[in-house]
């Protein structure tokens, strides 16, 4: 994904030139100083522009920095009410509020006003969204070559996609972590092993690779038509360049149709499946945290809720008195 335009010269409906320039500078700050991903920058920019467009209509004219400084809590609440009226859920409204608060804090640090209205408004409560793992049989099917045996694509492409999906489920990787591996990272195919991955925040961690997954990777490398060096990507596209995450997402979409899986069956759901299935078989929560690369144990603990919810569903569907 290309990064959003963060230049100070972008025209923003609802904002005067100074405010548009300040928004561009804020996005540059988020990119350079905080290292936010292009996807996050795009979402923040979209939310901030939506806020300015709303305020232009709400206040009856383009929003200048003076108008931003003079906003009242009721103005910010009006924006949130409009978003809720547009059908956004609490999570989306909270994200939009976080974006405009970040912009306001940037303006304060730059001496452009105090922006007190944003701190005076409560963030809407957001219920925790439980991960949606696949059943064990479905996760195994997705990460097998047989599921795509009739696809009209080269054998090496099927082997490549299978190897990536097997890594996501077998080692609990994020898709970016799997596609960030190089040829020299490939595990030996003859035994269980481990690989080092670069996770969020530039943190390195070691994860296990079972023999079946290692063999999937070896099968793909054997069939791959490209001659690749040690520092080249482990998984490559049809032209020999780095593989796009979108290709794996499309492969998963085809598998959903072939296997009759729900739309929640995404590549990231395989990482959820890895954690949930380990926990269901008695895995230690702290160890699962380390395998997933979570900075906080509280992030990993959500999988205990998934496991409990699954047990309750089994109980309700099978117990004669339920």
């Amino acid at each position: 994904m290309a990064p959003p335009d963060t230049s100070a010269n972008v025209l923003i409906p609802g904002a005067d030139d100074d405010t548009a320039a300040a928004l561009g500078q804020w996005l540059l700050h988020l990119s350079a100083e905080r290292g936010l991903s292009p996807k996050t920058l795009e979402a923040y920019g979209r939310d901030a522009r939506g806020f300015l467009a709303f305020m232009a209509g709400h206040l009856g004219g383009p929003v200048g920095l003076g108008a931003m400084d003079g906003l009242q809590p009721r103005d910010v609440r009006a924006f949130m009410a409009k978003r809720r009226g547009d059908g956004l859920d609490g999570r989306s409204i909270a994200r939009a509020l976080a974006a405009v608060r970040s912009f306001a804090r940037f303006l304060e640090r730059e001496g452009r006003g105090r922006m007190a209205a944003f701190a005076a408004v409560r963030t809407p409560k957001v219920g925790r969204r439980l991960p949606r793992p696949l059943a064990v049989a479905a996760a195994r099917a997705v990460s097998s070559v047989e599921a795509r045996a009739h696809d009209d694509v080269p054998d090496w492409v099927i082997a490549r996609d299978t190897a990536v999906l097997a890594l996501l489920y077998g080692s609990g990787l994020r898709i970016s972590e799997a596609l960030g591996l190089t040829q020299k990272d490939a595990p030996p195919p003859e035994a269980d092993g481990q690989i080092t991955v670069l996770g969020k925040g530039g943190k390195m961690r070691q994860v296990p690779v079972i023999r079946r997954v290692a063999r999937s990777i070896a099968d793909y490398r054997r069939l791959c038509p490209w001659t690749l060096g040690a520092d080249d990507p482990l998984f490559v596209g049809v032209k020999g360049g780095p593989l796009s995450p979108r290709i794996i997402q499309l492969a998963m979409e085809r598998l959903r149709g072939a296997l009759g899986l729900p739309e929640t069956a995404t590549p990231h759901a395989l990482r959820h499946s890895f954690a949930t299935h380990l926990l269901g078989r008695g895995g230690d929560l702290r160890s699962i945290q380390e395998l997933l690369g979570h900075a906080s144990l509280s992030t990993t603990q959500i999988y205990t809720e998934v496991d409990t919810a699954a047990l309750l569903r089994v109980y309700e569907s099978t117990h004669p008195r339920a």
Side-chain angles (χ1 to χ4, degrees):
M1 178 185 294
D5 192 342
T6 58
S7 69
N9 297 319
V10 177
L11 294 176
I12 299 175
D16 68 6
D17 291 346
D18 287 345
T19 305
L23 190 140
Q25 293 160 7
W26 165 62
L27 291 174
L28 283 171
H29 165 76
L30 293 179
S31 175
E33 300 298 327
R34 293 183 51 189
L36 297 189
S37 70
K39 186 175 182 180
T40 302
L41 285 173
E42 182 182 22
Y44 267 41
R46 183 171 59 248
D47 287 331
R49 287 190 293 271
F51 175 78
L52 292 172
F54 168 81
M55 282 300 161
H58 181 66
L59 300 175
V63 179
L65 295 176
M68 287 282 291
D69 190 12
L71 290 177
Q72 299 298 312
R74 63 176 177 271
D75 299 316
V76 182
R77 293 191 189 100
F79 166 71
M80 296 167 64
K82 176 63 167 59
R83 282 291 184 260
R84 192 171 295 280
D86 290 339
L88 271 66
D89 59 16
R91 188 177 303 274
S92 298
I93 295 170
R95 189 200 66 197
L97 183 58
V100 296
R101 277 177 172 163
S102 174
F103 181 39
R105 286 195 298 269
F106 173 78
L107 293 176
E108 282 192 346
R109 288 194 299 269
E110 295 294 308
R112 309 283 186 92
R114 295 199 56 184
M115 314 295 166
F118 299 94
V121 176
R122 285 187 178 181
T123 301
K125 291 184 178 180
V126 178
R128 288 221 293 183
R129 186 181 297 167
L130 293 181
R132 300 291 297 273
L134 280 67
V136 172
R140 287 176 174 170
V142 162
S143 53
S144 69
V145 172
E146 292 77 11
R148 293 185 60 190
H150 302 294
D151 277 14
D152 187 21
V153 296
D155 288 346
W156 80 269
V157 171
I158 293 178
R160 177 201 65 194
D161 296 348
T162 298
V164 174
L165 295 173
L167 255 181
L168 302 187
Y169 177 51
S171 299
L173 300 191
R174 302 176 179 93
I175 190 169
S176 59
E177 294 170 346
L179 301 189
L181 296 172
T182 62
Q183 291 289 322
K184 65 176 178 290
D185 297 321
E190 65 275 4
D192 294 346
Q194 60 184 19
I195 55 175
T196 301
V197 298
L198 181 64
K200 281 188 175 180
K203 293 182 179 179
M204 309 288 290
R205 73 181 190 280
Q206 290 189 322
V207 297
V209 180
I210 59 175
R211 187 178 308 180
R212 178 178 175 182
V213 175
R215 286 176 176 169
S216 291
I217 296 171
D219 289 343
Y220 148 68
R221 297 181 77 202
R222 177 175 50 82
L223 294 171
C224 181
W226 298 99
T227 301
L228 301 166
D231 293 321
D232 288 325
L234 177 57
F235 300 107
V236 296
V238 294
K239 295 183 179 180
L243 180 62
S244 166
R246 182 59 183 154
I247 299 301
I248 300 302
Q249 291 166 354
L250 290 172
M252 193 71 174
E253 288 178 13
R254 288 191 289 271
L255 284 166
R256 284 204 301 262
L259 300 173
L261 300 177
E263 290 189 3
T264 54
T266 63
H268 198 67
L270 291 173
R271 175 173 157 88
H272 294 323
S273 305
F274 166 84
T276 306
H277 297 167
L278 281 182
L279 186 65
R281 290 174 176 255
D284 171 71
L285 198 61
R286 182 69 70 177
S287 298
I288 295 173
Q289 175 196 358
E290 294 178 0
L291 290 172
L292 292 173
H294 285 162
S296 169
L297 184 62
S298 63
T299 306
T300 315
Q301 284 174 331
I302 194 170
Y303 292 106
T304 63
E305 298 180 32
V306 175
D307 198 42
T308 301
L311 287 173
L312 287 173
R313 284 195 297 272
V314 171
Y315 171 83
E316 291 171 354
S317 64
T318 59
H319 194 284
R321 300 293 295 274

